[in-house]
Amino acid sequence: MLNYVTYLNQESDSWVTFVHGAGGSSSIWYKQLREFKKHFNVLLLDLRGHGDSQPGLKDAFDDKYTFDYITEDILEVLDFLKIQKSHFIGISLGTVLIRNLAEKYPGRVESMVLGGAIIRLDMRFRILMGFGGLFKSLVPYIWLYKLFTFAIMPDGNHKESRLLFVREAKRMYQKEFVRWYKMGSQINRLLRFFRAGDINIPTLYVMGGEDYLFLPSVKKMVQKQSQSSLLTIEHCGHVVNVEQPQLFNRFVIDFVADVDRG
C-alpha cells in the first residue's frame, strides 16, 4: 500500500485528499497543511515509487505502469481508511490521476481542485517527450527531469518550484523513473477521452498566468464543462500551491466549503 498520513479534524466530516505530480511527493503540500487541517480531515499520500512509497518486491517484475494501475493505488488507501467520499486536490500529473479516478468511481469524488491541470499536450511538450524517450535509459534520469521542470517552469519566480520538485525526484530510482516515463505514452489517449465528455462533478481549475504550456487548453475546457470554473493567478507558474500559497489556500478552502454546503 502507498505511504500515507492522515490529519483528523473532530469538527468536520469532510475529507480532502492531496495528490502530487510525477517526481514529487506529499511534502509539496507543506504550505497547505496547516490551513486545510483547520477545516477538514486531510489525507496526504505518496504515489508509487515517490517519497516513502518505495517500490515493493512485486514491482521489480512489473515494467509497465498504467494510469488505471496508479489510480487503484489511491483507491486502495481510501478503502483501507474507510473513506467513502473525498474532495481531491491535485497538481500537474496528479490532476490526471484525479480525473481518471472520477471517471472510474464518480461516487467517491465530492469535488476536484486541479492545479496546474494537464488537459492537452502541445507540440512543444510532445517534442520534449520524444527527445526524452530516446535518452531515458542512457543518461541519469535527473538530467531529463531537470530539463522537463525548466521547460514547464522557465521563469525566475518559478525557481522555488523547480528546486522543490528536483529535490523530491532525486529520491526516485532510475528504473522507477523509466516506468513512469513510459506511462506518459498513454496520456494523449486518456486526455482525449477526458476532453470528450462533461464529468458533472464540481471542479475548480487553479492555473498560473505564466503556465504557458497548459493554461490555454484549460481555458477552452472550462467553457465546455457545466460545473467547472477557472481561477487564474497572475505572476505565477505551473505549481500554484507553492508559488502563491495564500491565494491558493483561501480560494480552494472556500470552494470546498461551498461544495459541502451544497
Side-chain angles (χ1 to χ4, degrees):
M1 187 181 296
L2 300 181
N3 177 70
Y4 70 87
V5 60
T6 59
Y7 297 87
L8 301 182
N9 184 318
Q10 300 300 325
E11 299 179 0
S12 175
D13 294 326
S14 296
W15 279 92
V16 171
T17 301
F18 288 89
V19 184
H20 63 80
S25 77
S26 57
S27 68
I28 72 160
W29 304 109
Y30 72 101
K31 293 185 178 183
Q32 279 65 60
L33 182 57
R34 175 183 293 181
E35 292 303 315
F36 276 80
K37 68 182 184 180
K38 292 177 183 177
H39 303 273
F40 315 105
N41 298 290
V42 173
L43 169 60
L44 301 178
L45 49 80
D46 292 327
L47 296 175
R48 181 182 295 257
H50 294 69
D52 291 325
S53 293
Q54 294 305 323
L57 182 61
K58 67 177 182 178
D59 300 319
F61 304 100
D62 187 354
D63 286 329
K64 187 176 181 181
Y65 289 173
T66 67
F67 282 96
D68 285 350
Y69 191 32
I70 304 300
T71 300
E72 293 294 333
D73 283 347
I74 299 172
L75 190 69
E76 182 183 26
V77 176
L78 296 178
D79 287 344
F80 179 78
L81 295 172
K82 296 181 172 55
I83 300 173
Q84 293 304 311
K85 296 191 77 171
S86 177
H87 302 273
F88 287 86
I89 301 173
I91 197 75
S92 196
L93 194 71
T95 66
V96 179
L97 294 169
I98 290 172
R99 179 62 194 270
N100 194 46
L101 192 150
E103 291 284 352
K104 293 172 68 65
Y105 306 100
R108 307 297 294 270
V109 181
E110 291 275 11
S111 73
M112 300 184 291
V113 177
L114 308 180
I118 299 176
I119 297 299
R120 183 191 298 270
L121 302 183
D122 72 359
M123 184 58 67
R124 291 169 295 177
F125 198 84
R126 281 183 278 176
I127 291 172
L128 192 59
M129 287 284 291
F131 173 81
L134 293 174
F135 297 100
K136 65 181 182 297
S137 298
L138 302 176
V139 301
Y141 77 89
I142 201 65
W143 294 3
L144 291 176
Y145 193 81
K146 287 180 178 180
L147 177 64
F148 272 88
T149 56
F150 191 80
I152 296 172
M153 301 171 269
D155 293 352
N157 56 308
H158 309 163
K159 183 177 180 180
E160 180 184 2
S161 300
R162 289 199 303 269
L163 293 178
L164 174 62
F165 271 76
V166 169
R167 185 190 73 205
E168 291 302 313
K170 287 179 179 178
R171 300 177 66 183
M172 296 179 73
Y173 299 107
Q174 179 87 12
K175 190 171 183 179
E176 189 69 15
F177 174 82
V178 171
R179 288 180 178 127
W180 277 81
Y181 200 93
K182 288 179 178 178
M183 192 175 77
S185 65
Q186 312 161 28
I187 196 170
N188 267 326
R189 176 184 56 81
L190 197 60
L191 294 180
R192 283 195 298 270
F193 174 71
F194 291 164
R195 294 195 300 270
D198 190 341
I199 193 66
N200 290 316
I201 291 174
T203 303
L204 174 65
Y205 292 91
V206 186
M207 305 294 293
E210 299 168 350
D211 196 348
Y212 309 115
L213 292 181
F214 303 116
L215 178 58
S217 57
V218 170
K219 287 181 176 178
K220 295 178 182 178
M221 186 74 167
V222 170
Q223 296 173 1
K224 301 177 181 179
Q225 295 182 336
S226 59
Q227 296 196 59
S228 293
S229 57
L230 169 63
L231 169 65
T232 302
I233 302 178
E234 298 302 330
H235 311 296
C236 181
H238 184 61
V239 189
V240 285
N241 65 300
V242 172
E243 293 182 38
Q244 294 286 350
Q246 292 183 334
L247 285 174
F248 182 92
N249 294 348
R250 175 156 54 93
F251 282 102
V252 172
I253 287 171
D254 286 348
F255 170 77
V256 173
D258 283 346
V259 173
D260 279 341
R261 285 191 290 266

